[in-house]
Amino acid sequence: MTWEFATAGRIVFGAGVRHQLSDLAADLGTRPLVVVGAHVARNATVRAAFEAARIIVHGEPTLAAVREGVATYRRDACDMVVAIGGGSALDTGKAIAALAPNSGDPLDYLEVIGRGRQLETTPAPCIAMPTTAGSGSEVTRNAVLGSPEHGVKASLRHARMLPRIALIDPELTLTLPIDVTVTTGLDALTQLIEPYVSRRASPLTDALCLDGIGRIARSLPVAASAEGASSLDARTDMSVASLFGGLALANAGLGVVHGFAAPIGAMFPAPHAAVCAALLPHGVAANLRALRARAPNDPAIARYAQVAAVLTNDASATAEDGADALLQLCRRLGVPRLATFGVRGEHLDEICRRAQQASSMKANPVVLSQDELKKLAMTAI
Ligand SMILES: [Zn+2]
């Protein structure tokens, strides 16, 4: 058994910890570049940062936003980055922090579509403060960037891209709209299930995954309800689960659902979390079918049964019961299908061809054929 575990330099978690932001930032630098998401002005602390923001991220992060951020960082002689928002703003901030001290274009450093050049100079210090409970980006070492002109999305990845401080205040999520609570919460659930059955799982990520899955099973339906949306207990569970998902995926990898997320997110105007939410039950079902057919003794099947037991709170649940429970959960929470974002049957050959090459696919517990991928995606359309 060989594994390693790396994370942010420091994780500060709890209701009200957002008020520590200026003190924590003062330890790292004097001129922060503040990156915020377009929809984060819900809270006074965040609003203050919003006013100071030099970069505002609209929608999914792009190479253009990162180029603009790097130029601003250098022009204004900044010495650190503060990123506040959903996964898009955090990824943009992390990418700017990584590239500001390094020469060349962001594309040079991207996996899959770029040249995969390694960072030579240590990134600028970065504080990541999530305002959703989903991406876990505050503790991951990559940033997923899109290039709309190329129609692609790929990761900028380096161990040194782990933020210096992850500052997680569940109170910031109390006012999240229900649809965002649902899709980001299901993205977090995907980021706990995929690392749990990953080829790179470790005892440390296993513990985080099972704990996080239990929190989401119990608290996502509450946080996504009109009466429960303002429950700090439910929101705290979701923020812990999202953090654990980030810790798990950064150290154990992902799987087929995230393999699809990159091409679909690049080819259609679909938020990452919504794509993962739409695909999650079908990805689990497809993996199970392939494992039963080709590797009936694979330990991943027992792992899916453990996930099912936690999801259903029934120790006798089978792996397939877990896939059914996920399908019921998605229906109950009104998760939109992929067709909502324009995905049609005629796009599937291209989507599946690109999904095969996605970096997330490498950790999937079973190799899926083009035909199996197509059937999986068809059920989510
Ligand atoms: Zn995700």
Side-chain angles (χ1 to χ4, degrees):
M1 192 199 290
T2 305
W3 50 275
E4 68 163 79
F5 190 90
T7 191
R10 191 172 165 192
I11 297 170
V12 182
F13 186 101
V17 297
R18 65 187 178 281
H19 298 299
Q20 298 178 32
L21 177 59
S22 51
D23 286 347
L24 291 168
D27 287 344
L28 297 182
T30 54
R31 280 182 70 77
L33 177 85
V34 182
V35 178
V36 297
H39 304 293
V40 299
R42 286 182 290 264
N43 172 285
T45 312
V46 179
R47 239 186 343 262
F50 195 81
E51 278 151 21
R54 285 172 239 208
I55 297 292
I56 294 173
V57 181
H58 298 273
E60 300 280 308
T62 59
L63 285 171
V66 172
R67 285 190 192 109
E68 180 197 341
V70 168
T72 305
Y73 185 100
R74 290 177 183 156
R75 187 190 65 225
D76 293 358
C78 296
D79 57 6
M80 64 173 297
V81 173
V82 173
I84 306 170
S88 301
L90 302 192
D91 277 7
T92 304
K94 284 158 61 186
I96 293 168
L99 296 173
N102 284 283
S103 61
D105 188 76
L107 194 57
D108 294 346
Y109 296 89
L110 279 195
E111 289 179 348
V112 186
I113 57 167
R115 291 197 283 139
R117 187 176 155 191
Q118 292 295 301
L119 299 175
E120 277 142 32
T121 307
T122 301
C126 177
I127 296 181
M129 187 158 90
T131 58
T132 62
S135 76
S137 174
E138 66 274 16
V139 289
T140 67
R141 61 185 95 186
N142 66 313
V144 181
L145 304 178
S147 174
E149 63 270 35
H150 297 100
V152 287
K153 253 179 154 184
S155 267
L156 176 67
R157 189 185 311 271
H158 197 281
R160 290 171 176 169
M161 282 179 63
L162 283 161
R164 198 71 72 82
I165 299 175
L167 184 61
I168 305 145
D169 187 338
E171 285 183 351
L172 292 176
T173 66
L174 284 170
T175 50
L176 275 182
I178 286 181
D179 59 335
V180 180
T181 300
V182 166
T183 53
T184 52
L186 289 168
D187 183 25
L189 182 56
T190 311
Q191 294 174 178
L192 290 157
I193 294 176
E194 293 200 311
Y196 192 66
V197 298
S198 151
R199 292 293 184 223
R200 293 167 46 208
S202 77
L204 185 43
T205 56
D206 287 351
L208 295 165
C209 291
L210 288 181
D211 181 286
I213 292 167
R215 287 175 193 272
I216 292 182
R218 129 180 123 217
S219 290
L220 178 57
V222 179
S225 68
E227 325 72 69
S230 56
S231 160
L232 184 58
D233 286 345
R235 294 294 189 176
T236 300
D237 264 349
M238 294 306 298
S239 290
V240 171
S242 172
L243 167 66
F244 285 6
L247 294 168
L249 82 88
N251 291 283
L254 290 161
V256 62
V257 173
H258 279 82
F260 272 114
I264 294 176
M267 293 165 66
F268 302 90
H272 169 84
V275 174
C276 290
L279 284 162
L280 172 60
H282 311 292
V284 170
N287 272 350
L288 277 170
R289 274 195 303 274
L291 286 162
R292 296 273 189 210
R294 295 198 288 281
N297 299 316
D298 193 290
I301 295 177
R303 284 179 166 260
Y304 274 122
Q306 289 168 310
V307 169
V310 178
L311 281 174
T312 61
N313 205 15
D314 173 1
S316 66
T318 65
E320 281 75 8
D321 291 340
D324 289 343
L326 290 169
L327 198 56
Q328 299 307 324
L329 181 67
C330 288
R331 285 192 180 142
R332 191 173 141 203
L333 297 175
V335 172
R337 303 180 67 83
L338 292 178
T340 315
F341 307 104
V343 183
R344 305 268 182 272
E346 70 257 31
H347 301 125
L348 291 186
D349 282 330
E350 175 70 7
I351 289 171
C352 295
R353 192 184 59 72
R354 293 200 200 183
Q356 291 278 23
Q357 291 155 19
S359 51
S360 297
M361 202 64 98
K362 294 188 191 101
N364 200 53
V366 58
V367 177
L368 297 174
S369 68
Q370 183 79 0
D371 197 40
E372 286 169 325
L373 289 176
K374 218 170 148 179
K375 282 194 182 123
L376 184 176
M378 191 65 91
T379 53
I381 285 183

